[in-house]
Amino acid sequence: MPTGLQRMPAEWEPHDRTWMAFPPANDTFGSDGSGTLARARNAWVRVAQVVARHEPVTVLADPADTEAAAALLGGGITVEPVPLDDAWLRDSGPTFVQGQDGAVAGVDWLFNGWGAQHWAAWSRDRHVGRAVADLAGVQVLGSGLVNEGGGFHVDGRGTVLLTETVQLDPGRNPGATRESVETEIHARLGTRHAVWLPRGLTRDYGEFGTRGHVDIVAAFTPAGSLLVHRQDDPGHPDHGVTREIRAVLASSTDADGRPLPIIDVPAPTVTHDDDGIVDWSYLNHYVANDVVVLCAFDDPNDAVAAGILQDAYPGRTVELVDARDIFAFGGGIHCITQQQPAPRRAGGGL
């Protein structure tokens, strides 16, 4: 059981396990037997199988889907029956932290369907954070803050990125202020300095968006720099948005008062799909043990992004996984994964 203040390790610190969820039949993915549901499940499985080559993976499946999940995932990946509404485990799952004694616990944020959006269901998913913590055998730390794992990013050294339109969303936390949010975030994550972004990418404010998740626009690296999404097409609305976000980050500091060096990561050259403008982003990657699982889009900039991330995460391989189907359903590789850090001894070693 953790004792004292807790700390959320950076994503690149050692993991015990990755947690994911198997897409259930719903309005997002389609009905049983539909081609869209099969596409979603195959896309999620591809990610799980890549991560499983580097660390253990547990996939939650709605009790009705456990056999289908096990058959698609194959051997070596654990499947656990848990009632599900959706499959974005970064958001519905717990945030794992370490106590001062190094033991791991799970922060169970309140989950309400990304601000009680009309299309979302969360009667089951609001219990997923506690269910995962119980399966992991760790203490559950409750929170009164409506929050999702994709709505923040930490450097493991005291700094956290937040977005005004997420944590201060009236549909999530009515009446909240920066100060009240920061108090709870710092208490749960062990951070001490927040950098607030004014907004997220344009498509994220459409009917089925999260209203500004940070894990598609910026990510810390082990060296302390920030990878930042850059849209270079002046005809795309994110051309201006990404420059606004970059300017905020470039004028900010980390928890120790140091400037945040910026590494620009150009967006894919494709700007539209059948539903309009895209929010395709290489920033929605997942850092697991010895690997960076990078979204690919069959785009010339896939190789550019892979080179940037290889430099940003030295000692890890970069594995590209086609993420177009995941983005078509509303997210990316980071959105469907959640890391469980390894315990750490009080003296700092593993």
Side-chain angles (χ1 to χ4, degrees), residues 80 108 120 147 270 287 307 339:
E80 293 284 358
D108 183 23
N147 198 21
V270 173
V287 184
Q339 71 272 10

Side-chain angles (χ1 to χ4, degrees), residues 321-339:
V321 179
D322 194 320
R324 286 173 292 180
D325 277 344
I326 304 175
F327 271 82
F329 291 111
I333 289 173
H334 195 255
C335 303
I336 67 174
T337 50
Q338 180 63 266
Q339 71 272 10

Side-chain angles (χ1 to χ4, degrees), residues 113 115-122 207-208 211:
Q117 299 204 48
H118 71 90
W119 50 266
W122 60 94
E207 182 180 4
F208 301 110
R211 301 175 184 157

Side-chain angles (χ1 to χ4, degrees), residues 21-289:
F22 190 67
N26 64 14
D27 290 343
T28 299
F29 302 122
S31 59
D32 280 318
S34 68
T36 55
L37 182 60
R39 279 175 49 210
R41 288 176 170 178
N42 287 331
W44 265 245
V45 166
R46 284 194 294 270
V47 173
Q49 290 174 338
V50 169
V51 176
R53 294 201 291 266
H54 300 271
E55 64 185 64
V57 175
T58 295
V59 176
L60 310 184
D62 196 78
D65 298 328
T66 53
E67 290 186 9
L72 275 178
L73 289 161
I77 295 177
T78 303
V79 176
E80 293 284 358
V82 173
L84 297 174
D85 293 306
D86 222 316
W88 308 100
L89 203 71
R90 174 67 52 177
D91 295 343
S92 59
T95 296
F96 289 100
V97 296
Q98 297 166 337
Q100 285 182 327
D101 61 353
V104 173
V107 177
D108 183 23
W109 311 105
L110 298 180
F111 181 74
N112 75 343
W114 302 277
Q117 299 204 48
H118 71 90
W119 50 266
W122 60 94
S123 63
R124 297 177 174 185
D125 278 357
R126 66 191 178 96
H127 300 296
V128 165
R130 180 172 292 273
V132 171
D134 288 344
L135 287 167
V138 303
Q139 181 186 6
V140 178
L141 303 175
S143 174
L145 186 72
V146 175
N147 198 21
E148 304 101 32
F152 59 88
H153 200 279
V154 302
D155 65 356
R157 304 180 185 96
T159 310
V160 60
L161 302 180
L162 303 170
T163 309
E164 292 182 8
T165 55
V166 175
Q167 284 82 19
L168 300 183
D169 175 12
R172 288 176 166 99
N173 298 298
T177 64
R178 282 192 177 194
E179 291 74 20
S180 66
V181 169
E182 288 182 22
T183 296
E184 178 66 4
I185 289 284
H186 294 336
R188 297 303 174 193
L189 304 183
T191 49
R192 49 195 168 88
H193 175 66
V195 176
W196 287 86
L197 302 183
R199 56 162 298 139
L201 299 185
T202 301
R203 185 158 170 169
D204 211 7
Y205 296 88
E207 182 180 4
F208 301 110
T210 70
R211 301 175 184 157
H213 272 190
V214 72
D215 67 351
I216 200 169
V217 295
F220 287 108
T221 71
S225 54
L226 265 175
L227 300 167
V228 178
H229 179 70
R230 187 187 73 208
Q231 174 55 252
D232 288 330
D233 189 326
H236 194 297
D238 286 337
H239 183 268
V241 169
T242 55
R243 279 147 184 80
E244 177 187 6
I245 290 171
R246 189 189 195 284
V248 170
L249 293 171
S251 65
S252 300
T253 63
D254 68 11
D256 295 317
R258 296 174 297 215
L260 297 171
I262 304 296
I263 301 172
D264 292 304
V265 183
T269 60
V270 173
T271 59
H272 290 74
D273 63 10
D274 292 341
D275 295 318
I277 60 167
V278 298
D279 55 358
W280 293 357
S281 171
Y282 300 109
L283 272 294
N284 204 262
H285 57 273
Y286 179 57
V287 184
N289 293 341

